[in-house]
Amino acid sequence: ELLARAAAEGKAVIVDFTATWCGPCRMIAPVFERLQQEFPHVLFAKVDVDANQETAMACGVSAMPTFKAYKDRREVGMVRGANEAALRALVR
């Protein structure tokens, strides 16, 4: 539903696949929050892989954190790991 709404609005979506027990996920979380403020034209979402295992599996997520970028309902990029520079490049 989020991807459909974003496509209709011409916006990209960045999804953070995360887990509460994941140390690197907690480390990069403030960066993800700041990016939401810096890039208001992009939609940001978080998916807890433990609470949403089917979604994580359908998206091919096997390590956390994994960030995926979507445009027009299609995946257009991915970053695996808590890499701020790579995440910023994905958002741009």
Side-chain angles (χ1 to χ4, degrees), residues 24-46:
C25 297
R26 289 193 305 271
M27 185 180 78
I28 197 79
V31 174
F32 190 76
E33 299 296 325
R34 282 195 303 272
L35 291 173
Q36 293 180 55
Q37 303 303 314
E38 291 177 37
F39 296 91
H41 60 283
V42 176
L43 296 178
F44 291 82
K46 285 190 174 212

Side-chain angles (χ1 to χ4, degrees), residues 1-68:
E1 188 174 306
L2 176 65
L3 295 181
R5 190 180 89 211
E9 296 175 8
K11 294 183 175 183
V13 178
I14 305 296
V15 181
D16 175 6
F17 292 89
T18 187
T20 56
W21 48 262
C22 168
C25 297
R26 289 193 305 271
M27 185 180 78
I28 197 79
V31 174
F32 190 76
E33 299 296 325
R34 282 195 303 272
L35 291 173
Q36 293 180 55
Q37 303 303 314
E38 291 177 37
F39 296 91
H41 60 283
V42 176
L43 296 178
F44 291 82
K46 285 190 174 212
V47 174
D48 182 320
V49 298
D50 291 325
N52 300 283
Q53 291 179 1
E54 290 178 9
T55 301
M57 286 177 58
C59 294
V61 174
S62 60
M64 276 65 69
T66 294
F67 301 93
K68 291 198 174 206

